[in-house]
Amino acid sequence: MRKNLVDLLRGKFLVSGDAPKNWMFIIFISILATVMIASSHSADRKVHQLAALNEEIKELKNEFVDMRSDVQRLKLESTIGATVEAKGLYPSEVPPRKIKVKSAKK
């Protein structure tokens, strides 16, 4: 048992008669580990991109709400009246009248 442990620590399995089989396994494990690490980094990058896009969505929603409230305020009759008074237009003092058109029946 001790001899096997010493041989393993010295790396004798890498230079013995069946070493090419061991080297192929080590290379395979190394490539597999590299692929796993790359996949993990790719997943982390995508998570960070999603977080950034979610922040941008929140900002755009807030901007939309602000713009919508500004538009609603600008559409008020009092705001429009104040704007056109500055240009010399005033509301009519006489209320509008309905015009009824009588059609001739045939």
Side-chain angles (χ1 to χ4, degrees):
M1 173 98 169
R2 184 170 184 215
K3 183 177 186 293
N4 289 339
L5 183 63
V6 171
D7 286 344
L8 180 69
L9 290 176
R10 286 187 179 168
K12 193 170 185 179
F13 66 96
L14 295 175
V15 291
S16 66
D18 58 344
K21 183 176 78 171
N22 293 337
W23 278 107
M24 293 303 278
F25 183 71
I26 291 172
I27 291 172
F28 172 72
I29 294 296
S30 300
I31 290 172
L32 195 61
T34 304
V35 169
M36 261 180 49
I37 291 170
S39 174
S40 174
H41 284 295
S42 175
D44 286 344
R45 189 178 319 116
K46 287 181 182 179
V47 166
H48 287 291
Q49 285 176 348
L50 281 173
L53 289 174
N54 283 333
E55 279 297 317
E56 188 177 352
I57 286 172
K58 286 180 185 177
E59 289 175 13
L60 290 174
K61 281 183 181 179
N62 289 337
E63 186 179 340
F64 169 73
V65 169
D66 288 342
M67 291 293 180
R68 185 174 57 186
S69 64
D70 287 345
V71 167
Q72 286 177 346
R73 185 180 46 79
L74 290 172
K75 287 189 333 184
L76 292 175
E77 185 179 351
S78 59
T79 307
I80 293 173
T83 305
V84 295
E85 275 183 19
K87 295 181 180 183
L89 298 174
Y90 297 100
S92 175
E93 306 237 347
V94 179
R97 290 183 284 169
K98 237 184 205 183
I99 300 173
K100 292 184 180 179
V101 177
K102 293 181 182 179
S103 61
K105 291 187 179 184
K106 294 182 183 181

XYZ file of all heavy atoms in Angstrom:
837
model
N 0.829 -1.191 0.000
C 0.000 0.000 0.000
C 0.873 1.255 0.000
O 0.592 2.198 -0.719
C -0.903 -0.060 1.229
C -1.687 1.170 1.438
S -3.312 0.922 0.764
C -4.114 2.316 1.393
N 1.924 1.222 0.856
C 2.796 2.384 0.933
C 3.546 2.592 -0.384
O 3.736 3.726 -0.824
C 3.771 2.197 2.080
C 4.635 3.393 2.266
C 5.434 3.314 3.536
N 6.160 4.544 3.687
C 7.346 4.643 4.193
N 7.941 3.570 4.665
N 7.942 5.795 4.276
N 3.949 1.514 -1.008
C 4.678 1.596 -2.277
C 3.792 2.207 -3.363
O 4.239 3.060 -4.141
C 5.143 0.200 -2.702
C 5.973 0.210 -3.973
C 6.450 -1.200 -4.274
C 7.387 -1.256 -5.422
N 6.874 -0.937 -6.695
N 2.512 1.813 -3.388
C 1.585 2.379 -4.373
C 1.385 3.876 -4.156
O 1.315 4.644 -5.119
C 0.242 1.664 -4.301
C 0.307 0.250 -4.830
O 1.207 -0.078 -5.595
N -0.636 -0.575 -4.412
N 1.305 4.292 -2.894
C 1.125 5.709 -2.582
C 2.364 6.510 -2.994
O 2.260 7.598 -3.576
C 0.830 5.887 -1.089
C 0.556 7.300 -0.635
C -0.701 7.843 -1.317
C 0.398 7.355 0.872
N 3.549 5.958 -2.725
C 4.795 6.640 -3.104
C 4.898 6.719 -4.626
O 5.287 7.755 -5.180
C 6.013 5.902 -2.481
C 7.320 6.448 -3.035
C 5.991 6.030 -0.964
N 4.538 5.649 -5.318
C 4.564 5.665 -6.782
C 3.596 6.707 -7.351
O 3.908 7.385 -8.336
C 4.218 4.281 -7.346
C 5.349 3.272 -7.179
O 6.492 3.717 -6.916
O 5.078 2.064 -7.315
N 2.439 6.842 -6.736
C 1.452 7.825 -7.184
C 1.967 9.240 -6.973
O 1.841 10.098 -7.855
C 0.126 7.621 -6.428
C -0.996 8.569 -6.796
C -1.473 8.265 -8.214
C -2.141 8.456 -5.818
N 2.585 9.499 -5.800
C 3.111 10.830 -5.507
C 4.295 11.186 -6.408
O 4.484 12.358 -6.753
C 3.515 10.927 -4.044
C 2.348 10.915 -3.044
C 2.879 10.908 -1.619
C 1.438 12.102 -3.261
N 5.081 10.229 -6.772
C 6.238 10.485 -7.647
C 5.817 10.619 -9.113
O 6.593 11.076 -9.938
C 7.247 9.358 -7.516
C 8.007 9.415 -6.238
C 9.099 8.398 -6.213
N 9.830 8.499 -4.960
C 10.685 7.610 -4.540
N 10.942 6.545 -5.281
N 11.305 7.774 -3.408
N 4.606 10.192 -9.460
C 4.134 10.311 -10.829
C 4.604 9.174 -11.705
O 4.723 9.344 -12.925
N 4.859 8.038 -11.110
C 5.356 6.888 -11.877
C 4.315 6.412 -12.890
O 4.670 5.892 -13.948
C 5.727 5.752 -10.922
C 6.514 4.665 -11.560
C 7.045 3.707 -10.529
C 7.934 2.713 -11.231
N 8.525 1.760 -10.321
N 3.031 6.667 -12.609
C 1.983 6.239 -13.537
C 2.041 7.014 -14.851
O 1.467 6.604 -15.847
C 0.593 6.372 -12.887
C 0.184 7.779 -12.611
C -0.623 8.464 -13.509
C 0.588 8.432 -11.451
C -1.013 9.764 -13.265
C 0.193 9.733 -11.203
C -0.605 10.406 -12.106
N 2.756 8.144 -14.850
C 2.870 8.947 -16.076
C 4.000 8.484 -16.991
O 4.037 8.876 -18.158
C 3.066 10.418 -15.717
C 1.894 11.083 -14.991
C 2.267 12.498 -14.591
C 0.655 11.078 -15.853
N 4.919 7.682 -16.467
C 6.054 7.245 -17.276
C 6.135 5.723 -17.391
O 7.052 5.199 -17.999
C 7.391 7.789 -16.707
C 7.462 9.272 -16.887
C 7.587 7.367 -15.261
N 5.174 5.017 -16.834
C 5.191 3.553 -16.900
C 4.775 3.080 -18.284
O 4.546 3.887 -19.194
C 4.273 2.970 -15.821
O 2.936 3.323 -16.097
N 4.605 1.781 -18.455
C 4.308 1.195 -19.761
C 2.950 1.602 -20.319
O 2.797 1.815 -21.521
N 1.944 1.786 -19.483
C 0.614 2.178 -19.982
C 0.373 3.682 -19.802
O -0.748 4.126 -19.618
C -0.478 1.347 -19.300
C -0.463 1.489 -17.786
O 0.552 1.968 -17.255
O -1.486 1.146 -17.154
N 1.431 4.476 -19.855
C 1.356 5.927 -19.662
C 0.502 6.635 -20.724
O -0.219 7.570 -20.388
C 2.751 6.531 -19.619
N 0.552 6.239 -22.014
C -0.270 6.964 -23.003
C -1.765 6.937 -22.651
O -2.465 7.923 -22.844
C -0.012 6.231 -24.308
C 1.328 5.625 -24.135
C 1.446 5.293 -22.677
N -2.232 5.835 -22.085
C -3.637 5.759 -21.678
C -3.923 6.760 -20.560
O -4.933 7.464 -20.584
C -3.952 4.330 -21.223
C -5.412 4.135 -20.848
C -5.698 2.697 -20.506
C -5.195 2.447 -19.093
N -5.580 1.167 -18.547
N -2.999 6.858 -19.615
C -3.165 7.809 -18.510
C -3.101 9.249 -19.007
O -3.853 10.112 -18.557
C -2.107 7.566 -17.436
C -2.281 6.238 -16.739
O -3.386 5.686 -16.722
N -1.198 5.704 -16.185
N -2.161 9.528 -19.923
C -2.048 10.881 -20.465
C -3.321 11.280 -21.220
O -3.778 12.422 -21.099
C -0.840 10.996 -21.393
C 0.442 11.216 -20.654
C 1.431 10.323 -20.464
C 0.846 12.417 -20.000
N 2.451 10.876 -19.729
C 2.106 12.174 -19.429
C 0.270 13.672 -19.822
C 2.798 13.136 -18.702
C 0.961 14.631 -19.102
C 2.210 14.347 -18.548
N -3.888 10.360 -21.984
C -5.117 10.668 -22.726
C -6.251 11.010 -21.755
O -7.027 11.935 -21.987
C -5.517 9.493 -23.627
C -4.541 9.254 -24.766
S -4.328 10.696 -25.795
C -5.744 10.538 -26.834
N -6.324 10.280 -20.654
C -7.373 10.548 -19.668
C -7.162 11.918 -19.020
O -8.114 12.681 -18.828
C -7.393 9.439 -18.609
C -8.497 9.607 -17.610
C -9.821 9.391 -17.979
C -8.217 9.989 -16.314
C -10.846 9.550 -17.064
C -9.241 10.157 -15.396
C -10.557 9.932 -15.772
N -5.917 12.258 -18.703
C -5.616 13.567 -18.097
C -5.944 14.691 -19.071
O -6.519 15.722 -18.687
C -4.140 13.617 -17.653
C -3.932 12.679 -16.459
C -3.716 15.031 -17.306
C -2.486 12.495 -16.058
N -5.609 14.520 -20.334
C -5.923 15.538 -21.348
C -7.439 15.682 -21.498
O -7.967 16.802 -21.572
C -5.244 15.192 -22.687
C -3.732 15.358 -22.565
C -5.789 16.066 -23.812
C -2.954 14.852 -23.756
N -8.157 14.560 -21.497
C -9.617 14.604 -21.606
C -10.237 15.355 -20.429
O -11.102 16.213 -20.615
C -10.175 13.177 -21.677
C -11.670 13.110 -21.598
C -12.455 13.527 -22.654
C -12.289 12.655 -20.443
C -13.833 13.478 -22.576
C -13.660 12.612 -20.357
C -14.443 13.022 -21.421
N -9.771 15.061 -19.226
C -10.283 15.745 -18.030
C -9.961 17.242 -18.084
O -10.787 18.089 -17.723
C -9.706 15.096 -16.748
C -10.211 13.672 -16.591
C -10.033 15.912 -15.519
C -11.706 13.557 -16.391
N -8.773 17.601 -18.568
C -8.392 19.021 -18.680
C -9.296 19.756 -19.663
O -9.746 20.877 -19.400
C -6.940 19.146 -19.122
O -6.087 18.537 -18.196
N -9.559 19.136 -20.811
C -10.437 19.767 -21.808
C -11.845 19.913 -21.249
O -12.491 20.953 -21.415
C -10.423 18.953 -23.120
C -9.071 19.090 -23.807
C -11.540 19.411 -24.056
C -8.886 18.185 -25.005
N -12.319 18.889 -20.559
C -13.650 18.938 -19.960
C -13.754 20.050 -18.919
O -14.751 20.788 -18.871
C -13.972 17.576 -19.332
C -15.410 17.305 -18.976
C -16.282 17.365 -20.215
C -15.524 15.957 -18.295
N -12.717 20.204 -18.098
C -12.702 21.276 -17.092
C -12.697 22.647 -17.758
O -13.386 23.575 -17.308
C -11.488 21.119 -16.182
N -11.936 22.793 -18.855
C -11.895 24.069 -19.579
C -13.264 24.416 -20.154
O -13.709 25.572 -20.065
C -10.850 23.993 -20.712
O -9.594 23.624 -20.157
C -10.727 25.315 -21.428
N -13.948 23.433 -20.716
C -15.292 23.668 -21.263
C -16.260 24.056 -20.152
O -17.090 24.964 -20.320
C -15.784 22.421 -22.034
C -17.257 22.525 -22.372
C -14.966 22.229 -23.292
N -16.162 23.411 -19.006
C -17.038 23.754 -17.876
C -16.804 25.178 -17.394
O -17.751 25.919 -17.117
C -16.800 22.776 -16.711
C -17.818 21.681 -16.627
S -17.533 20.538 -15.273
C -17.277 21.567 -13.882
N -15.557 25.576 -17.289
C -15.230 26.932 -16.837
C -15.738 27.962 -17.841
O -16.319 28.986 -17.462
C -13.705 27.064 -16.612
C -13.286 26.238 -15.401
C -13.304 28.517 -16.429
C -11.786 26.098 -15.234
N -15.555 27.712 -19.127
C -16.042 28.637 -20.156
C -17.560 28.745 -20.115
O -18.122 29.843 -20.241
C -15.578 28.179 -21.532
N -18.230 27.642 -19.918
C -19.686 27.651 -19.839
C -20.160 28.446 -18.628
O -21.126 29.206 -18.707
C -20.197 26.212 -19.761
O -21.584 26.200 -19.555
N -19.487 28.293 -17.523
C -19.842 29.038 -16.310
C -19.660 30.541 -16.512
O -20.504 31.350 -16.107
C -18.978 28.560 -15.147
O -19.191 29.339 -14.013
N -18.544 30.931 -17.144
C -18.310 32.352 -17.416
C -19.375 32.911 -18.360
O -19.845 34.048 -18.187
C -16.917 32.564 -18.011
C -15.816 32.473 -17.008
N -15.666 33.364 -15.970
C -14.804 31.584 -16.878
C -14.622 33.038 -15.248
N -14.077 31.944 -15.777
N -19.756 32.149 -19.339
C -20.798 32.584 -20.273
C -22.129 32.786 -19.558
O -22.827 33.780 -19.795
C -20.947 31.555 -21.394
O -22.011 31.894 -22.236
N -22.472 31.873 -18.681
C -23.728 32.004 -17.930
C -23.688 33.230 -17.020
O -24.676 33.968 -16.920
C -23.977 30.747 -17.114
N -22.560 33.479 -16.363
C -22.432 34.663 -15.507
C -22.570 35.949 -16.316
O -23.215 36.907 -15.877
C -21.077 34.669 -14.789
C -21.019 33.657 -13.662
O -22.092 33.182 -13.231
O -19.889 33.344 -13.211
N -21.969 35.965 -17.507
C -22.060 37.149 -18.364
C -23.519 37.430 -18.736
O -23.971 38.568 -18.720
C -21.207 36.937 -19.619
C -21.072 38.180 -20.469
C -20.165 37.973 -21.693
N -18.971 37.201 -21.430
C -18.710 36.010 -21.971
N -19.568 35.464 -22.815
N -17.601 35.359 -21.694
N -24.260 36.371 -19.048
C -25.664 36.548 -19.419
C -26.493 37.033 -18.241
O -27.406 37.845 -18.408
C -26.222 35.243 -19.968
C -25.706 34.925 -21.345
C -26.272 33.651 -21.898
C -25.662 33.379 -23.263
N -26.131 32.146 -23.852
N -26.179 36.563 -17.039
C -26.904 37.026 -15.847
C -26.666 38.516 -15.642
O -27.601 39.272 -15.343
C -26.470 36.210 -14.601
C -26.939 36.871 -13.322
C -27.007 34.796 -14.695
N -25.430 38.961 -15.829
C -25.128 40.385 -15.682
C -25.827 41.217 -16.759
O -26.313 42.324 -16.487
C -23.615 40.617 -15.725
C -22.909 40.165 -14.487
N -23.053 40.779 -13.260
C -22.068 39.125 -14.282
C -22.322 40.164 -12.364
N -21.714 39.135 -12.957
N -25.893 40.700 -17.976
C -26.602 41.412 -19.042
C -28.086 41.530 -18.723
O -28.691 42.586 -18.945
C -26.417 40.690 -20.379
C -25.056 40.868 -20.999
C -24.894 40.047 -22.275
O -25.703 39.180 -22.575
N -23.829 40.322 -23.011
N -28.678 40.459 -18.201
C -30.097 40.501 -17.835
C -30.347 41.525 -16.736
O -31.344 42.261 -16.777
C -30.574 39.126 -17.377
C -30.877 38.125 -18.472
C -31.184 36.763 -17.875
C -32.052 38.596 -19.297
N -29.473 41.588 -15.760
C -29.636 42.560 -14.676
C -29.550 43.987 -15.222
O -30.352 44.861 -14.835
C -28.579 42.334 -13.606
N -28.619 44.227 -16.129
C -28.482 45.567 -16.713
C -29.718 45.920 -17.541
O -30.218 47.057 -17.483
C -27.226 45.638 -17.583
N -30.253 44.962 -18.304
C -31.454 45.232 -19.104
C -32.669 45.478 -18.219
O -33.511 46.329 -18.535
C -31.711 44.068 -20.063
C -30.733 43.941 -21.230
C -31.017 42.677 -22.018
C -30.811 45.159 -22.125
N -32.774 44.762 -17.108
C -33.881 45.000 -16.183
C -33.808 46.395 -15.579
O -34.832 47.063 -15.403
C -33.910 43.938 -15.077
C -34.483 42.629 -15.555
O -35.283 42.600 -16.483
N -34.064 41.546 -14.947
N -32.609 46.852 -15.256
C -32.442 48.221 -14.751
C -32.857 49.239 -15.810
O -33.523 50.230 -15.506
C -30.983 48.460 -14.339
C -30.636 47.922 -12.990
C -31.409 48.590 -11.871
O -31.565 49.827 -11.886
O -31.889 47.862 -10.987
N -32.463 48.993 -17.050
C -32.836 49.909 -18.131
C -34.349 49.933 -18.331
O -34.935 50.988 -18.572
C -32.140 49.478 -19.422
C -32.313 50.460 -20.551
C -31.563 50.051 -21.802
O -30.782 49.080 -21.755
O -31.768 50.717 -22.836
N -34.993 48.776 -18.197
C -36.455 48.714 -18.320
C -37.108 49.543 -17.226
O -38.059 50.295 -17.484
C -36.934 47.253 -18.272
C -36.597 46.545 -19.575
C -38.430 47.166 -18.005
C -36.868 45.053 -19.545
N -36.611 49.435 -16.001
C -37.175 50.222 -14.896
C -37.031 51.712 -15.162
O -37.964 52.493 -14.935
C -36.489 49.854 -13.582
C -36.900 48.517 -13.023
C -36.168 48.228 -11.725
C -36.474 46.840 -11.226
N -35.715 46.520 -10.008
N -35.856 52.119 -15.644
C -35.631 53.533 -15.941
C -36.571 54.021 -17.043
O -37.147 55.111 -16.943
C -34.178 53.760 -16.354
C -33.184 53.618 -15.224
C -31.744 53.737 -15.694
O -31.522 54.179 -16.851
O -30.846 53.390 -14.917
N -36.742 53.225 -18.084
C -37.620 53.625 -19.186
C -39.082 53.684 -18.741
O -39.829 54.561 -19.184
C -37.444 52.674 -20.365
C -36.111 52.790 -21.103
C -35.988 51.698 -22.148
C -35.955 54.162 -21.728
N -39.495 52.765 -17.872
C -40.866 52.825 -17.356
C -41.085 54.086 -16.537
O -42.134 54.749 -16.667
C -41.164 51.590 -16.493
C -41.476 50.350 -17.284
C -41.826 49.194 -16.370
C -42.115 47.939 -17.166
N -42.436 46.798 -16.285
N -40.111 54.443 -15.701
C -40.229 55.677 -14.923
C -40.287 56.900 -15.828
O -41.070 57.828 -15.596
C -39.063 55.797 -13.946
C -39.157 54.809 -12.812
O -40.244 54.325 -12.482
N -38.035 54.489 -12.214
N -39.462 56.904 -16.870
C -39.474 58.026 -17.810
C -40.823 58.109 -18.535
O -41.355 59.197 -18.726
C -38.348 57.842 -18.824
C -38.181 59.008 -19.766
C -37.028 58.787 -20.729
O -36.149 57.956 -20.447
O -37.029 59.464 -21.780
N -41.392 56.956 -18.897
C -42.690 56.929 -19.550
C -43.772 57.507 -18.641
O -44.611 58.306 -19.085
C -43.045 55.493 -19.953
C -44.464 55.324 -20.405
C -44.879 55.807 -21.631
C -45.399 54.695 -19.591
C -46.186 55.658 -22.049
C -46.703 54.548 -19.992
C -47.102 55.019 -21.222
N -43.763 57.125 -17.373
C -44.766 57.628 -16.431
C -44.623 59.142 -16.269
O -45.627 59.875 -16.245
C -44.640 56.901 -15.074
C -45.467 57.581 -14.007
C -45.050 55.445 -15.225
N -43.385 59.639 -16.189
C -43.163 61.081 -16.073
C -43.684 61.815 -17.304
O -44.371 62.849 -17.186
C -41.673 61.383 -15.898
C -41.158 60.977 -14.525
O -41.990 60.782 -13.621
O -39.927 60.849 -14.376
N -43.377 61.298 -18.486
C -43.831 61.949 -19.715
C -45.353 61.921 -19.829
O -45.963 62.902 -20.251
C -43.221 61.272 -20.945
C -41.750 61.489 -21.087
S -41.447 63.226 -21.431
C -39.696 63.217 -21.548
N -45.958 60.799 -19.451
C -47.411 60.696 -19.532
C -48.081 61.697 -18.599
O -49.061 62.353 -18.975
C -47.853 59.273 -19.187
C -49.358 59.074 -19.361
C -49.769 57.649 -19.151
N -49.355 57.205 -17.825
C -49.478 55.974 -17.383
N -49.964 55.041 -18.165
N -49.091 55.645 -16.173
N -47.540 61.876 -17.397
C -48.129 62.858 -16.473
C -47.935 64.279 -17.006
O -48.822 65.129 -16.856
C -47.538 62.710 -15.073
O -46.161 62.998 -15.080
N -46.783 64.552 -17.641
C -46.577 65.873 -18.242
C -47.577 66.131 -19.366
O -48.147 67.227 -19.466
C -45.153 66.000 -18.797
C -44.113 66.139 -17.697
O -44.505 66.425 -16.545
O -42.919 65.943 -18.002
N -47.816 65.133 -20.199
C -48.763 65.289 -21.308
C -50.172 65.502 -20.769
O -50.921 66.346 -21.274
C -48.700 64.064 -22.245
C -49.866 64.048 -23.210
C -47.393 64.074 -23.011
N -50.551 64.776 -19.733
C -51.883 64.951 -19.154
C -52.043 66.353 -18.571
O -53.093 66.978 -18.689
C -52.137 63.900 -18.074
C -52.404 62.529 -18.628
C -52.586 61.490 -17.533
O -52.265 61.742 -16.373
N -53.085 60.332 -17.909
N -50.999 66.869 -17.947
C -51.057 68.226 -17.402
C -51.163 69.251 -18.521
O -51.910 70.219 -18.420
C -49.805 68.488 -16.563
C -49.823 69.832 -15.852
C -48.571 70.050 -15.026
N -47.332 69.721 -15.692
C -46.713 70.497 -16.573
N -47.234 71.653 -16.939
N -45.577 70.120 -17.120
N -50.446 69.027 -19.624
C -50.492 69.970 -20.741
C -51.836 69.939 -21.466
O -52.204 70.918 -22.111
C -49.358 69.685 -21.732
C -47.952 70.018 -21.234
C -46.912 69.511 -22.230
C -47.796 71.507 -21.004
N -52.574 68.844 -21.382
C -53.861 68.736 -22.061
C -55.002 69.374 -21.275
O -56.107 69.501 -21.794
C -54.208 67.257 -22.309
C -53.368 66.632 -23.405
C -53.777 65.253 -23.856
C -54.489 64.386 -22.903
N -54.752 63.028 -23.405
N -54.750 69.797 -20.042
C -55.816 70.408 -19.246
C -56.282 71.711 -19.891
O -55.500 72.456 -20.476
C -55.322 70.680 -17.826
C -55.040 69.463 -16.961
C -54.441 69.902 -15.631
C -56.307 68.669 -16.718
N -57.586 71.979 -19.755
C -58.162 73.188 -20.356
C -57.532 74.454 -19.788
O -57.277 75.414 -20.517
C -59.677 73.204 -20.116
C -60.379 74.351 -20.800
C -61.873 74.330 -20.554
O -62.377 73.352 -20.011
O -62.510 75.337 -20.919
N -57.237 74.459 -18.496
C -56.645 75.655 -17.888
C -55.242 75.907 -18.444
O -54.866 77.059 -18.697
C -56.583 75.499 -16.371
O -55.816 74.355 -16.030
N -54.471 74.861 -18.682
C -53.123 75.030 -19.232
C -53.190 75.530 -20.667
O -52.442 76.432 -21.055
C -52.361 73.690 -19.184
O -52.406 73.165 -17.866
C -50.930 73.864 -19.596
N -54.096 74.962 -21.439
C -54.245 75.401 -22.830
C -54.734 76.841 -22.876
O -54.252 77.649 -23.673
C -55.195 74.469 -23.593
C -54.555 73.085 -23.726
C -55.524 75.026 -24.973
C -55.468 72.044 -24.299
N -55.688 77.187 -21.979
C -56.189 78.565 -21.937
C -55.087 79.559 -21.611
O -55.006 80.632 -22.219
N -54.238 79.234 -20.651
C -53.140 80.137 -20.295
C -52.145 80.269 -21.447
O -51.615 81.360 -21.700
C -52.431 79.613 -19.054
N -51.928 79.194 -22.172
C -50.992 79.236 -23.298
C -51.510 80.106 -24.429
O -50.756 80.909 -25.008
C -50.729 77.799 -23.821
O -50.274 76.986 -22.756
C -49.692 77.806 -24.920
N -52.796 79.977 -24.757
C -53.325 80.763 -25.875
C -53.605 82.205 -25.482
O -53.624 83.078 -26.346
C -54.582 80.104 -26.491
C -54.225 78.781 -27.117
C -55.700 79.972 -25.507
N -53.819 82.491 -24.194
C -53.996 83.886 -23.768
C -52.715 84.666 -24.008
O -52.759 85.862 -24.337
C -54.383 83.952 -22.287
C -55.860 83.790 -22.044
C -56.213 83.937 -20.571
O -55.409 84.499 -19.810
O -57.297 83.488 -20.206
N -51.580 84.005 -23.827
C -50.299 84.682 -24.076
C -50.161 85.052 -25.546
O -49.449 85.994 -25.885
C -49.145 83.776 -23.643
N -50.866 84.340 -26.427
C -50.819 84.633 -27.854
C -51.953 85.546 -28.297
O -52.095 85.815 -29.477
C -50.861 83.323 -28.650
C -49.637 82.465 -28.400
C -49.678 81.204 -29.208
C -48.429 80.380 -28.908
N -48.339 79.176 -29.686
N -52.774 86.014 -27.342
C -53.830 86.955 -27.681
C -55.182 86.318 -27.954
O -56.093 87.000 -28.422
N -55.377 85.070 -27.687
C -56.664 84.412 -27.881
C -57.348 84.254 -26.537
O -56.727 83.895 -25.551
C -56.471 83.028 -28.525
C -55.846 83.004 -29.910
C -55.584 81.567 -30.327
C -56.763 83.659 -30.915
N -58.666 84.557 -26.522
C -59.424 84.438 -25.281
C -60.646 83.577 -25.525
O -61.155 83.501 -26.641
C -59.863 85.833 -24.808
C -58.682 86.720 -24.489
C -58.230 87.679 -25.388
C -58.009 86.576 -23.282
C -57.145 88.482 -25.101
C -56.929 87.382 -22.984
C -56.505 88.332 -23.886
O -55.431 89.133 -23.597
N -61.140 82.916 -24.480
C -62.349 82.105 -24.667
C -63.560 82.987 -24.960
O -63.648 84.130 -24.502
C -62.502 81.367 -23.347
C -61.598 82.023 -22.375
C -60.598 82.811 -23.144
N -64.497 82.448 -25.702
C -65.693 83.199 -26.078
C -66.588 83.393 -24.860
O -66.726 82.518 -24.022
C -66.455 82.436 -27.159
O -67.662 83.092 -27.441
N -67.207 84.586 -24.784
C -68.120 84.876 -23.668
C -69.515 84.373 -23.979
O -70.307 84.131 -23.082
C -68.140 86.386 -23.412
C -66.754 86.935 -23.210
C -66.625 87.644 -21.895
O -67.648 87.924 -21.268
O -65.489 87.913 -21.504
N -69.823 84.216 -25.262
C -71.138 83.736 -25.684
C -71.045 82.214 -25.838
O -70.194 81.721 -26.570
C -71.550 84.394 -27.013
C -72.896 83.885 -27.477
C -71.515 85.893 -26.905
N -71.942 81.500 -25.181
C -71.883 80.044 -25.317
C -72.264 79.614 -26.733
O -73.020 80.296 -27.420
C -72.887 79.543 -24.287
C -73.780 80.681 -24.005
C -73.006 81.924 -24.269
N -71.811 78.507 -27.172
C -72.133 78.040 -28.514
C -73.603 77.629 -28.615
O -74.223 77.252 -27.632
C -71.213 76.830 -28.709
C -70.841 76.401 -27.349
C -70.892 77.604 -26.480
N -74.146 77.734 -29.832
C -75.542 77.334 -30.067
C -75.565 76.164 -31.018
O -74.721 76.055 -31.902
C -76.336 78.503 -30.678
C -76.559 79.623 -29.694
C -77.387 80.696 -30.321
N -76.486 81.439 -31.238
C -76.897 82.311 -32.116
N -78.177 82.557 -32.258
N -76.044 82.941 -32.872
N -76.568 75.341 -30.823
C -76.736 74.199 -31.699
C -77.454 74.654 -32.953
O -78.422 75.398 -32.895
C -77.590 73.147 -30.998
C -76.950 71.820 -30.877
C -77.895 70.840 -30.261
C -77.111 69.737 -29.601
N -77.930 68.717 -29.043
N -77.004 74.181 -34.071
C -77.643 74.498 -35.341
C -78.414 73.253 -35.756
O -77.842 72.178 -35.897
C -76.631 74.868 -36.423
C -75.830 76.098 -35.955
C -77.291 75.090 -37.741
C -74.690 76.452 -36.877
N -79.729 73.431 -35.930
C -80.542 72.311 -36.368
C -80.866 72.504 -37.815
O -81.321 73.560 -38.249
C -81.840 72.238 -35.548
C -81.604 71.880 -34.107
C -82.905 71.736 -33.369
C -82.651 71.387 -31.928
N -83.897 71.268 -31.169
N -80.649 71.485 -38.598
C -80.917 71.526 -40.027
C -82.172 70.691 -40.270
O -82.235 69.519 -39.915
C -79.736 70.997 -40.841
C -80.063 70.984 -42.322
C -78.489 71.789 -40.548
N -83.156 71.336 -40.878
C -84.370 70.620 -41.205
C -84.244 70.136 -42.643
O -83.971 70.916 -43.540
C -85.589 71.501 -41.065
C -85.837 71.894 -39.626
C -87.082 72.746 -39.524
C -87.305 73.170 -38.100
N -88.467 74.018 -37.940
N -84.449 68.882 -42.825
C -84.351 68.347 -44.180
C -85.746 68.219 -44.762
O -86.707 67.950 -44.045
C -83.649 66.997 -44.176
O -84.396 66.088 -43.410
N -85.821 68.448 -46.045
C -87.092 68.337 -46.710
C -87.394 66.868 -46.950
O -86.596 66.136 -47.535
C -87.066 69.087 -48.029
N -88.580 66.419 -46.522
C -88.963 65.027 -46.710
C -89.587 64.870 -48.062
O -90.399 65.658 -48.480
C -89.930 64.586 -45.621
C -89.281 64.506 -44.262
C -90.222 63.916 -43.273
C -89.565 63.809 -41.928
N -90.385 63.178 -40.952
N -89.288 63.844 -48.727
C -89.832 63.607 -50.046
C -90.924 62.628 -50.021
O -91.121 61.732 -49.349
C -88.749 63.145 -51.012
C -87.743 64.214 -51.260
C -86.741 63.710 -52.241
C -85.667 64.733 -52.456
N -84.709 64.317 -53.381
